Amino acid sequence: RKIFLKCKLESFFFYFKMARRRYLIMFIAFLSLLPFLSSLGCPVEECVCDDYGFALQLKCLQAHTDLAPFPNLSNLSARVTYLQIENKAYSFLPNYAFYNLNLEYLLLINDQIEYAEERAFAGLDGLLTLQLNANRLKKFSNHTFGRLRNLHLSRNELERLNDRMFSGIAKLFVLDLSKNKILDIEQN
């Protein structure tokens, strides 16, 4: 009986090792296909996508100097949680520019943005980080961000702040207003 049990255990471990090798080979093959698969599914031209299965990072970094309308992002997948657009030429952010997106990180850096319409960030209830660095913003309206923790507005042209400007951002942890032209802080 011991010999029979020993043979069964040995065959079990043999098949276990074989199955483990087979899954390892399949996993390595899948990893080698990831760059190809993620480039096929990138929803915006001139952008690079990193697909992590549960989340999609979209990075648009190519420089443009001609003023262009802000792109329609309504076709983006709900899996896009990170959106980075740099070195573009948009004069403003239209209302509902990011509506129905599940963004957690939004980086609009050096895009020549002068203003954001009142409801430009509507629907971004899960946003954690917003970076609007190195634009031409002269004012930043009171936007409501339920979970926003980090707001970066450095290297803009902000001149006036008021005490209600950040009232809709209850959980704010980092506020970067460095390298602006702030002349006045109004109290209402």
Side-chain angles (χ1 to χ4, degrees), residues 159-163 182-187:
E159 293 179 352
R160 297 188 194 294
L161 302 178
N162 67 51
D163 59 355
I182 299 171
L183 302 172
D184 187 27
I185 301 175
E186 300 170 6
Q187 292 183 352

Side-chain angles (χ1 to χ4, degrees), residues 10-21 23:
E10 285 177 359
S11 64
F12 169 77
F13 285 119
F14 173 76
Y15 287 116
F16 178 74
K17 286 180 186 178
M18 293 301 290
R20 198 170 72 189
R21 275 192 200 131
Y23 286 121

Side-chain angles (χ1 to χ4, degrees), residues 46 102 150 174:
E46 301 177 5
N102 293 321
N150 305 295
V174 174

Side-chain angles (χ1 to χ4, degrees), residues 55-141:
L56 184 67
Q57 284 189 353
L58 183 64
K59 299 176 185 175
C60 308
L61 307 175
Q62 291 183 354
H64 284 278
T65 54
D66 298 333
L67 213 57
F70 196 76
N72 180 358
L73 301 176
S74 61
N75 64 335
L76 286 184
S77 166
R79 291 186 316 118
V80 176
T81 58
Y82 180 102
L83 177 59
Q84 179 178 357
I85 301 175
E86 287 191 32
N87 304 314
K88 302 293 184 186
Y90 309 122
S91 62
F92 73 99
L93 295 177
N95 284 330
Y96 306 102
F98 310 98
Y99 198 70
N100 286 335
L101 297 180
N102 293 321
L103 295 177
E104 293 180 1
Y105 301 92
L106 176 57
L107 292 75
L108 303 171
I109 300 170
N110 196 30
D111 290 320
Q112 301 180 33
I113 299 168
E114 294 178 14
Y115 71 96
E117 290 187 347
E118 188 175 323
R119 300 200 189 309
F121 302 105
L124 290 178
D125 300 327
L127 194 65
L128 299 173
T129 297
L130 175 60
Q131 289 191 13
L132 293 168
N133 300 338
N135 283 292
R136 297 179 179 168
L137 289 170
K138 291 182 176 33
K139 70 177 190 170
F140 187 76
S141 300

Side-chain angles (χ1 to χ4, degrees), residues 40-60:
L40 285 178
C42 198
V44 179
E45 288 182 28
E46 301 177 5
C47 295
V48 175
C49 291
D50 295 323
D51 193 341
Y52 296 103
F54 61 92
L56 184 67
Q57 284 189 353
L58 183 64
K59 299 176 185 175
C60 308

